């Protein structure tokens, strides 16, 4: 049984003080649901303080980005060694980074490998645009992102990888893929991983859905057999909503 994983991607929201007070309020609400892995991904400026605030809880911290080099003349960047000990997860290849920061399958791959080499668990985000979706290109495009992002990653390392399927047209738009559609694309992604690594790795891999996930639609996703959790933006910024998402995941998966 794959442990469900709900990760809150805070994007560029919350100051340092807001981030800390938020997790202090959130932690007791999430405490009962320890059958679900719960992760918060604050901005870099708040990562250390949030990690400290959560150190006596089982809520995990993730970063939203990293560079593949351990150090160097890379103004503005954060390396895997800087994140070691502070975070367990790191989101890589979010569509906003692909769109605004020039992230490509090649840089996603370098970052995923660098994360794994430093004991960090990458959440590799993939997903098609509205135009690709309407042109019937979802399967070919998303499977290409999966193959490109995972190139050269070993089967044992795949135990520490999470994939997030986030159709770009559903992110922050209020439009979301139906549970059935999300389940079938995620099943397709698992099939690509099966091709690459075989049954054991594919069956153990956790794949999240992301894109306008809210308390009202969470059970629809979590009741799908292929969907192992959610990568959540907007709804992860409110204590009541985040709690409702985790509770819905725990109930739907019976954990
Ligand atoms: P959203 O964002 O939940 O606000 O749509 C999801 C994401 O970008 O990870």
């Amino acid at each position: 049984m794959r442990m469900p994983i709900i990760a809150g991607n805070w994007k560029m929201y919350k100051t340092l003080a807001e981030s800390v007070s938020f997790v202090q309020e959130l932690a007791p609400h999430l405490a009962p649901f320890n059958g679900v892995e719960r992760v918060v991904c604050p901005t870099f400026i708040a990562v250390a303080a949030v990690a400290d605030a959560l150190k006596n809880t089982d809520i995990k911290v993730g970063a939203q980005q990293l560079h593949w080099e351990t150090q160097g003349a890379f103004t503005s960047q954060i390396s895997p060694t800087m994140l070691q000990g502070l975070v367990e997860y790191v989101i890589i290849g979010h569509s906003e980074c692909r769109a605004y920061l020039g992230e490509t399958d090649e840089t996603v791959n370098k970052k995923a490998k660098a994360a794994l080499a430093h004991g960090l668990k990458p959440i590799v985000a993939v997903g098609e645009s509205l135009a690709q979706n309407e042109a019937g290109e979802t399967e070919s495009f998303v499977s290409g992102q999966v193959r490109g992002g995972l190139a050269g990653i070993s089967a044992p390392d795949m135990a520490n990888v999470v994939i997030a399927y986030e159709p770009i047209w559903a992110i922050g738009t209020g439009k979301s893929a139906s549970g059935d559609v999300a389940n079938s694309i995620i099943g397709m992604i698992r099939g690509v991983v099966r091709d690459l690594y075989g049954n054991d790795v594919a069956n153990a891999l956790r794949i999240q859905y992301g894109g306008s996930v809210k308390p009202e639609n969470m059970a629809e996703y979590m009741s799908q057999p292929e969907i192992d959790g959610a990568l959540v933006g907007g709804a992860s910024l409110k204590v009541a909503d985040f709690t409702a998402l985790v509770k819905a995941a725990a109930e739907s998966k019976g954990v």
Side-chain angles (χ1 to χ4, degrees):
M1 159 101 195
R2 300 183 290 263
M3 189 182 198
I5 175 167
I6 313 295
N9 169 17
W10 291 359
K11 309 190 179 187
M12 198 175 73
Y13 290 98
K14 297 192 187 296
T15 64
L16 171 57
E18 287 164 353
S19 302
V20 171
S21 64
F22 182 86
V23 294
Q24 283 166 341
E25 191 188 337
L26 180 71
H29 290 281
L30 298 194
F33 306 108
N34 60 7
V36 176
E37 199 167 9
R38 295 136 294 163
V39 186
V40 291
C41 304
T43 64
F44 278 131
I45 214 156
V47 156
V50 165
D52 191 54
L54 292 174
K55 68 175 183 280
N56 296 322
T57 74
D58 58 0
I59 300 170
K60 314 276 179 66
V61 183
Q64 298 177 19
Q65 182 56 282
L66 88 172
H67 196 276
W68 55 85
E69 296 289 347
T70 53
Q71 60 177 12
F74 300 104
T75 300
S76 85
Q77 299 297 297
I78 302 284
S79 82
T81 45
M82 295 167 186
L83 291 172
Q84 273 176 322
L86 289 175
V87 305
E88 185 164 329
Y89 285 93
V90 55
I91 300 168
I92 296 175
H94 191 280
S95 62
E96 286 150 18
C97 301
R98 294 179 190 259
Y100 310 135
L101 302 174
E103 196 84 272
T104 63
D105 290 340
E106 193 189 341
T107 60
V108 168
N109 182 241
K110 282 164 115 165
K111 291 175 181 189
K113 285 178 175 160
L116 290 162
H118 292 87
L120 306 170
K121 298 174 179 169
I123 298 175
V124 177
V126 298
E128 82 287 1
S129 68
L130 184 60
Q132 289 164 327
N133 184 282
E134 287 175 345
E137 292 164 7
T138 300
E139 182 163 343
S140 60
F141 182 74
V142 172
S143 62
Q145 285 183 317
V146 171
R147 287 176 188 275
L150 300 181
I153 292 177
S154 71
D157 274 347
M158 284 300 292
N160 291 319
V161 172
V162 174
I163 292 180
Y165 168 60
E166 299 201 303
I168 296 170
W169 49 270
I171 295 178
T173 57
K175 285 188 211 161
S176 47
S178 71
D180 285 347
V181 166
N183 190 65
S184 88
I185 310 288
I186 288 176
M188 182 279 292
I189 292 171
R190 201 177 300 287
V192 172
V193 173
R194 189 167 286 122
D195 266 6
L196 293 169
Y197 295 97
N199 263 327
D200 290 354
V201 167
N203 292 342
L205 176 72
R206 292 181 300 172
I207 310 180
Q208 301 170 307
Y209 171 74
S212 296
V213 171
K214 315 182 263 284
E216 306 84 74
N217 60 21
M218 186 64 171
E220 179 183 347
Y221 296 115
M222 291 305 113
S223 57
Q224 300 286 343
E226 295 288 353
I227 304 181
D228 303 312
L231 181 58
V232 187
S236 75
L237 298 167
K238 295 186 198 123
V239 170
D241 286 1
F242 203 142
T243 307
L245 297 177
V246 172
K247 184 166 185 280
E251 285 169 0
S252 301
K253 298 293 185 191
V255 293

